[in-house]
């Protein structure tokens, strides 16, 4: 079967990683799966034209009900949809967007939610058949670059210290866009850094929103103890995560944060903002720590610094949680099975 797979894959965010992984699952079953950037298309008619070219595509798949799914409304072949996160958490609040997403969901042969909570939200806000929405958590696989140099990474990020091994680096992994809210902790963290200069916050991720990126760069430049790293390859990022003290999440909305799950898999504690997408995987004081304000972030981080038993517990349980619930084998089987439903006339 020849499938078209639409996702927002430029620049290389977590969405890109997820899409590539799912594409490999589908191709491992003998199908041809062509991954395209949804941003490259301006209308559903464009996609319909691409689908019908010879040899034609026989089915389609998309990540994000609005940004990619809406482009599939004119096609004449069966398709499936994967919820992104902001579609269900944010876009449903806008009536015009919600109507379009309902049309996509009604026409889709199946839909995939990363969490039970995301499925519940979709059922609450969108007209849909509950039976066509499947829950399949993201599969996680980490790989660390052996050539990665921690001291060089910190130096290139602007962190200057003679005591590199004594630093406690909090790594905020996110694409630079407003929904990730990377400036949420900056002010309070800087105050904490002034009290203890060994605590530093490094923000790392692709520059997605150019206007917002300028804001972040300006804020970081004038804030002590907070730094902005250049985007790295996935393997280098995993190496940096493995060396840091804690991986941080400050997002306003998440479908399922791959960075959080990757940190758990790498044996690194997670301190994440208490939002539904994060709370679905970070069980407070068990697989990680949650916070609801910048001040509470500092409090929870201080606990990680002083309570070694707590740190060891969340690291151990986080790794076990990922192994048990986010394995590639189950994810592969789910997508193979769902794509097979597109073959049925």
């Amino acid at each position: 079967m020849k499938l078209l797979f639409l996702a927002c894959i430029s620049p290389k965010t977590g969405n890109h990683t997820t899409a590539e992984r799912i594409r490999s699952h589908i191709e491992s079953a003998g199908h041809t799966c062509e991954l395209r950037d949804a941003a490259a298309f301006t209308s559903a008619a464009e996609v319909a034209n691409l689908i019908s070219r010879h040899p034609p595509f026989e089915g389609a798949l998309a990540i994000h009900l609005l940004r990619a799914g809406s482009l599939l409304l004119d096609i004449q072949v069966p398709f499936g949809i994967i919820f992104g996160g902001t579609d269900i958490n944010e876009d449903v609040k806008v009536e015009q967007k919600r109507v379009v997403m309902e049309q996509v969901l009604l026409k889709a042969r199946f839909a995939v939610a990363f969490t039970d909570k995301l499925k519940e939200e979709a059922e609450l806000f969108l007209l849909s058949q509950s039976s066509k929405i499947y829950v399949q958590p993201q599969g996680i696989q980490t790989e660390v670059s052996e050539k990665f140099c921690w001291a060089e990474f910190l130096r290139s990020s602007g962190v200057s210290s003679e005591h590199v091994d004594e630093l406690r680096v909090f790594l905020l992994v996110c694409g630079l866009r407003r929904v990730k809210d990377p400036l949420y902790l900056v002010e309070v963290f800087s105050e904490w850094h002034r009290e203890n200069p060994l605590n530093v916050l490094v923000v790392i991720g692709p520059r997605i929103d150019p206007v917002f990126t300028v804001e972040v760069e300006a804020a970081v430049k004038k804030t002590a103890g907070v730094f902005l790293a250049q985007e790295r390859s996935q393997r280098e990022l995993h190496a940096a995560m493995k060396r840091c003290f804690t991986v941080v999440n400050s997002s306003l909305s998440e479908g399922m944060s791959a960075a959080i799950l990757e940190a758990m898999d790498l044996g690194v504690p997670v301190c994440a903002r208490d939002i539904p997408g994060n709370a679905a995987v970070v069980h407070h004081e068990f697989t990680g720590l949650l916070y609801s304000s910048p001040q509470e972030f500092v409090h929870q981080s201080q606990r990680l610094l002083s309570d070694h038993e707590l740190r060891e517990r969340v690291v151990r349980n986080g790794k076990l949680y990922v192994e048990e619930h986010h394995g590639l084998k189950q994810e592969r089987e789910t997508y193979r099975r769902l794509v097979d439903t597109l073959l049925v006339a």
Side-chain angles (χ1 to χ4, degrees):
M1 184 183 200
K2 187 182 177 188
L3 277 173
L4 175 66
F5 190 1
L6 292 184
C8 300
I9 57 173
S10 180
K12 293 189 175 181
T13 59
N15 251 353
H16 185 276
T17 307
T18 300
E20 282 288 4
R21 194 180 62 251
I22 293 170
R23 182 188 63 79
S24 71
H25 293 332
I26 293 167
E27 294 204 325
S28 71
H31 303 295
T32 300
C33 186
E34 194 171 310
L35 181 59
R36 294 286 195 96
D37 188 358
F41 299 93
T42 57
S43 69
E46 261 186 75
V47 176
N49 182 46
L50 173 66
I51 287 272
S52 59
R53 280 185 199 160
H54 195 76
F57 288 91
E58 300 155 272
L61 193 60
I63 298 179
H64 203 284
L65 268 170
L66 188 67
R67 289 193 297 229
S70 60
L71 294 168
L72 300 180
L73 282 172
D74 290 352
I75 67 174
Q76 301 303 310
V77 296
F79 68 85
I81 196 84
I82 301 163
F83 300 152
T86 52
D87 44 7
I88 306 300
N89 292 329
E90 303 297 324
D91 294 329
V92 289
K93 298 170 187 172
V94 181
E95 179 64 17
Q96 193 178 356
K97 293 178 179 180
R98 190 183 63 78
V99 169
V100 173
M101 292 194 294
E102 277 186 347
Q103 289 177 315
V104 176
L105 196 50
L106 286 168
K107 195 173 179 186
R109 192 159 284 188
F110 65 81
V112 178
F114 293 142
T115 66
D116 290 311
K117 181 70 176 172
L118 216 54
K119 179 180 177 178
E120 288 166 16
E121 293 289 309
E123 290 167 347
L124 186 65
F125 292 108
L126 300 167
L127 290 169
S128 67
Q129 301 151 274
S130 177
S131 60
K132 73 157 65 167
I133 304 177
Y134 299 82
V135 176
Q136 174 54 55
Q138 291 212 59
I140 292 298
Q141 186 173 30
T142 55
E143 193 178 352
V144 173
S145 169
E146 292 174 12
K147 295 177 182 175
F148 179 79
C149 176
W150 179 236
E152 183 277 325
F153 168 76
L154 293 175
R155 191 165 51 250
S156 67
S157 304
V159 183
S160 54
S161 174
E162 295 170 19
H163 312 287
V164 168
D165 291 334
E166 293 175 33
L167 288 174
R168 290 180 286 261
V169 178
F170 292 76
L171 198 64
L172 174 51
V173 182
C174 69
L176 298 188
R177 52 191 181 123
R178 294 188 190 279
V179 74
K180 299 300 181 183
D181 209 7
L183 298 179
Y184 182 60
L185 301 171
V186 163
E187 204 173 300
V188 164
F189 196 99
S190 186
E191 288 171 20
W192 189 34
H193 167 78
R194 280 192 285 270
E195 292 169 20
N196 190 334
L198 290 176
N199 299 331
V200 297
L201 177 67
V202 177
V203 182
I204 183 168
R207 275 74 167 155
I208 298 171
D209 179 335
V211 175
F212 184 56
T213 294
V214 173
E215 273 183 51
V216 174
E217 288 171 342
V220 166
K221 198 172 287 185
K222 64 182 183 184
T223 310
V226 181
F227 304 89
L228 186 60
Q230 287 297 316
E231 184 185 0
R232 298 290 184 121
S233 70
Q234 188 78 348
R235 292 174 73 240
E236 288 176 316
L237 176 61
H238 287 164
M241 289 165 72
K242 196 168 179 67
R243 284 298 305 267
C244 79
F245 180 76
T246 302
V247 167
V248 180
N249 176 290
S250 60
S251 297
L252 291 163
S253 171
E254 288 283 2
M256 177 173 281
S257 167
I260 285 177
L261 296 169
E262 287 163 358
M264 289 179 178
D265 191 52
L266 290 163
V268 180
V270 170
C271 195
R273 194 167 179 173
D274 193 357
I275 56 172
N278 289 344
V281 293
V282 180
H283 306 130
H284 187 58
E285 298 182 343
F286 188 72
T287 59
L289 296 176
L290 294 168
Y291 65 90
S292 300
S293 69
Q295 293 74 19
E296 194 184 355
F297 164 79
V298 172
H299 170 66
Q300 299 298 348
S301 298
Q302 286 171 329
R303 292 179 67 202
L304 280 175
L305 284 165
S306 60
D307 190 339
H308 298 295
E309 190 183 322
L310 171 67
R311 183 180 172 85
E312 286 172 10
R313 182 169 75 245
V314 298
V315 164
R316 182 175 62 250
N317 291 335
K319 190 159 180 61
L320 287 170
Y321 171 79
V322 170
E323 286 171 2
E324 191 174 330
H325 298 280
H326 297 275
L328 291 181
K329 185 170 180 283
Q330 180 58 52
E331 186 185 50
R332 186 182 302 115
E333 287 171 2
T334 296
Y335 283 104
R336 282 180 170 186
R337 188 177 71 250
L338 290 175
V339 164
D340 283 345
T341 68
L342 300 180
L343 290 163
V344 181

